[in-house]
Amino acid sequence: MTTVLEPFLLSLIAGMATGIGGIIALLLRRVGDRVVSFSMGFASGVMLMVAFNSLFLEAEKLLTHVELIAIFSLGAVIMIVLDLAIPHIELTRRKGNGKNERMLRTGVLIAVGITLHNLPEGFVVAAGYTYMPSLGVIIAIAIMLHNIPEGVATAIPFREAGTKPSKIALITFLSGLAEPIAALVGAVVLSAVGTRIVVGYSLVFAAGVMTYITADELIPVAHEYGFKHTVSVGLLLGIIFALLIDVLLS
């Protein structure tokens, strides 16, 4: 029961960061472009370091090289398919035409897309925690940092459309709840099966998912704000932060 409850709680905390991002968007009339560039670069560094230094390396102890490449690729491909199959509009500097109806529709599409994208992230936490509790904590921290700008992305169009702040906060928090639900399902399945191969597959699959999210969403969007060196500094500091967390929790 403990091995199911703890990944659920970790993922719940990470998922709530989406709501925190929504509240930040409501409290601040405008978040500085340089701050956004740095924060997304920082989250990118953490995500990449966790994907390769933690998930991939641990899976390497359990699987063959062929299995590593195949399942890593599968994780990335599934995220590509999700991006193509579901409406998912990312946080960019591009503005719509300012009409409330258009902005409201944009907000709904972003909320739906982020909710569905949160499902694999919840499974990532469960897979990491099932293999090693400290790994689950590191992954949850990385995803939490990634979810804050997603919450901002969800809230801004609703705010521009004139939606009530209380409703915006509710929407952003609810979109993050997909994560703990997926973590709960993943933890139950993994604890029931529990074989080294299944856990290894889960870890390297999660690495593929996190790498794609970073490469497709975080880094490109961070560069749209025009502060190339700020993104790079944030990314490097994110890598250092992830290494320090890894040492502290080891």
Side-chain angles (χ1 to χ4, degrees), residues 137-183:
V137 174
I138 294 171
I139 295 169
I141 292 172
I143 291 176
M144 180 178 67
L145 292 171
H146 159 62
N147 281 346
I148 292 174
E150 284 196 343
V152 174
T154 305
I156 287 176
F158 284 111
R159 189 185 71 183
E160 296 298 319
T163 306
K164 291 182 180 179
S166 59
K167 190 172 182 179
I168 295 174
L170 179 62
I171 290 170
T172 53
F173 273 107
L174 287 178
S175 66
L177 289 182
E179 226 159 89
I181 292 171

Side-chain angles (χ1 to χ4, degrees), residues 212-232:
Y212 177 80
I213 289 171
T214 305
D216 182 69
E217 296 183 13
L218 290 179
I219 294 177
V221 173
H223 277 290
E224 282 198 16
Y225 286 78
F227 296 96
K228 180 177 71 173
H229 296 300
T230 301
V231 176
S232 299

